[in-house]
Amino acid sequence: MDIPVRRWRDLSNEQKTSILQRSEININSVMDPVHDIIRRIQDNGDAALKELSLELDKVDLDLHPFRVGEQEFDQARENLADEVKDALLFCIENVRSYHEAQLSRSMEMMEIRPGVFAGERATPIDSAALYVPRGRGSFPSMLYMLGVPATVAGVPRIAVLTPPNRDGSIDPACLYTAEICGIEEIYRFGGAHGVAAMALGTESVKPVAKVIGPGSMYVAAAKRLLSDTVDVGLPAGPSESAVLADAKADPYLLAIDLLTEAEHGADSSAVLVCTDETVAGRAAEHLAAEIEKLPQPRKDFVSSVFSGYGAVIYADSIEEAAEIVNLYAPEHLQVQCHEPFDVLPLIRNAGEIILGDNTPFSAANYAVGANAVLPTGGRARTYSPVSVRDFMKYSSVIYATKAGNALLAEHVAVLAEYEGFPAHKNAVQKRR
């Protein structure tokens, strides 16, 4: 296929907008059926969950308990290849090291004024359900990217929901990963009905405070409709990446790195922004050649990406290139420049920033330790990666002595009277 190289300043506003767009799941078309699914779970609980699992997943949950049993964990541990176990242990250890450093400590009480003290207390949320999708493969990496920060935060109850295979079984690598993370509550259902069950509860499933993790458009719709009932975490849609490069970058590495996130699906996005037209052109040539070498369905996925939500563009300066990236606000960003740390201050919006040409996206996705569940669709402008903080909450802690209250009272009374709240004024003044 031919992948054009375009100069940013020569593009029209409409063309620029097109490049900056992501596919982002359009969930409007499924809102009505998902609303019906939620209503059925709400009205009929376990019975509806079984009916919907049979209808949508083709799995008869009359033949399998909702929750995975101890024997299934044993079988997964015995049957999983040692090399897969070793890889999972290696990656989980790295992810745990990174997230343990994120663990928030309670803010010590500080004396704001004489006799007036304030601080902050950090505590884990009561419960969380981690959604691990199965639509395009098995994703134990998704489980540990969610499970490790949840366990490090100290969440007392952590559940996993994931769609089963047609025979009702759960991916063995996911079961092994859950066991290593210390998670025992695994459910063999997913989709909108699974999210509804975890949010609303059924006779057999206790509801949770938070449901987090990416999924299909049905899962996204269910989370939106249930967002007043349960915390649904950051929005995570189709995979996307951007590579920022200069004249010193290796065009071949640029090409193979662009393929990484693009192979997730035809709805993915991938953009190269380069300050050198020649490097950009050679990267586009390598990219076209490497696409032809991919097996199906990945070849079709990547071809679709670079026919729609993919682009190779060049900018007139590193400052312009960085600003394009900031407008794009990618989920994954790789900086393949001669001095990547000098470019870093120019970047404001990106879910993750990978510096240099020695760390492909895939290494960060699996093994570096930083979390790979990241905001998509330009939401990196305001959202952050999943972290320990997603599983914690913070309470202000306040204390005042009698003298401290007297110091506050005069000013509080003035403002309370100005805003028209006599009870506020009395509460501080009548303590004197």
Side-chain angles (χ1 to χ4, degrees):
M1 65 181 297
D2 180 46
I3 300 174
V5 178
R6 294 174 283 181
R7 187 183 187 186
W8 183 255
R9 69 183 301 179
D10 292 340
L11 299 176
S12 67
N13 289 335
E14 184 178 350
Q15 288 172 316
K16 290 177 180 178
T17 299
S18 177
I19 289 172
L20 295 173
Q21 283 180 343
R22 259 53 62 92
S23 64
E24 280 304 287
I25 299 172
N26 181 2
I27 63 175
N28 292 330
S29 62
V30 301
M31 292 294 272
D32 287 343
V34 170
H35 187 274
D36 182 63
I37 288 170
I38 293 170
R39 181 191 55 76
R40 288 171 65 180
I41 293 291
Q42 190 168 29
D43 292 346
N44 298 305
D46 284 355
L49 188 53
K50 290 180 180 180
E51 291 170 0
L52 288 161
S53 293
L54 189 59
E55 290 174 21
L56 303 174
D57 298 329
K58 311 305 179 187
V59 176
D60 189 349
L61 291 184
D62 276 327
L63 304 177
H64 310 279
F66 291 160
R67 184 169 169 174
V68 170
E70 184 177 345
Q71 184 179 1
E72 292 173 83
F73 283 99
D74 294 339
Q75 290 174 345
R77 193 185 321 111
E78 293 171 7
N79 296 335
L80 196 62
D82 287 341
E83 63 181 4
V84 177
K85 291 180 187 177
D86 291 343
L88 287 169
L89 289 168
F90 175 86
C91 295
I92 290 170
E93 182 178 347
N94 293 350
V95 174
R96 184 173 286 121
S97 295
Y98 180 90
H99 287 81
E100 283 176 347
Q102 287 182 333
L103 188 60
S104 298
R105 309 297 178 199
S106 295
M107 174 180 157
E108 293 185 3
M109 298 288 281
M110 59 185 294
E111 193 166 18
I112 307 296
R113 295 275 185 174
V116 180
F117 301 85
E120 191 174 67
R121 180 169 176 254
T123 56
I125 63 175
D126 291 337
S127 56
L130 317 179
Y131 192 95
V132 180
R134 281 300 309 273
R136 292 173 181 163
S138 300
F139 301 105
S141 60
M142 182 64 63
L143 203 161
Y144 64 72
M145 287 295 178
L146 296 171
V148 168
T151 54
V152 168
V155 179
R157 178 189 169 217
I158 304 171
V160 172
L161 64 156
T162 186
N165 298 314
R166 288 291 178 90
D167 62 0
S169 65
I170 299 297
D171 173 60
C174 284
L175 290 182
Y176 182 75
T177 298
E179 185 175 54
I180 297 303
C181 291
I183 301 171
E184 300 178 349
E185 189 176 346
I186 315 291
Y187 293 100
R188 65 180 95 246
F189 49 71
H193 50 294
V195 173
M198 298 307 303
L200 301 170
T202 71
E203 298 91 330
S204 302
V205 180
K206 186 179 178 182
V208 295
K210 184 166 194 164
V211 178
I212 187 169
S216 67
M217 68 174 68
Y218 292 90
V219 170
K223 288 165 75 174
R224 180 179 295 183
L225 289 170
L226 290 162
S227 60
D228 288 340
T229 302
V230 66
D231 182 348
V232 296
L234 86 165
S239 297
E240 59 188 50
S241 62
V243 178
L244 174 59
D246 63 12
K248 299 290 187 180
D250 183 329
Y252 178 72
L253 292 183
L254 298 177
I256 62 174
D257 288 342
L258 280 169
L259 294 174
T260 305
E261 297 304 319
E263 74 170 344
H264 275 280
D267 54 358
S268 299
S269 308
V271 172
L272 170 63
V273 184
C274 187
T275 59
D276 186 276
E277 184 178 7
T278 301
V279 171
R282 291 176 60 197
E285 292 171 1
H286 284 302
L287 186 58
E290 292 300 314
I291 290 173
E292 294 302 316
K293 300 176 185 178
L294 289 173
Q296 295 292 7
R298 305 300 170 184
K299 179 180 176 181
D300 284 348
F301 288 166
V302 177
S303 296
S304 294
V305 168
F306 285 97
S307 298
Y309 296 101
V312 176
I313 56 182
Y314 71 96
D316 292 336
S317 67
I318 193 64
E319 290 78 14
E320 183 183 47
E323 193 54 34
I324 295 167
V325 168
N326 288 324
L327 290 170
Y328 192 67
E331 177 188 20
H332 305 273
L333 170 65
Q334 189 179 68
V335 180
Q336 291 197 36
C337 295
H338 181 59
E339 296 292 348
F341 283 94
D342 290 343
V343 177
L344 181 59
L346 301 176
I347 305 301
R348 301 188 307 277
N349 303 325
E352 72 175 1
I353 305 168
I354 301 171
L355 302 177
D357 57 9
N358 293 315
T359 314
F361 292 120
S362 49
N365 283 347
Y366 289 106
V368 171
N371 209 288
V373 183
L374 306 162
T376 62
R379 295 185 182 90
R381 297 182 188 92
T382 56
Y383 279 89
S384 306
V386 165
S387 71
V388 171
R389 294 178 286 273
D390 283 274
F391 299 97
M392 301 196 72
K393 59 189 187 300
Y394 303 85
S395 302
S396 300
V397 181
I398 298 166
Y399 171 77
T401 64
K402 188 172 183 179
N405 175 69
L407 183 63
L408 298 174
E410 177 183 351
H411 304 287
V412 172
V414 169
L415 293 177
E417 184 171 355
Y418 182 84
E419 294 188 354
F421 292 117
H424 283 60
K425 179 179 178 179
N426 290 340
V428 291
Q429 284 191 330
K430 293 188 176 182
R431 276 182 162 78
R432 292 184 176 183

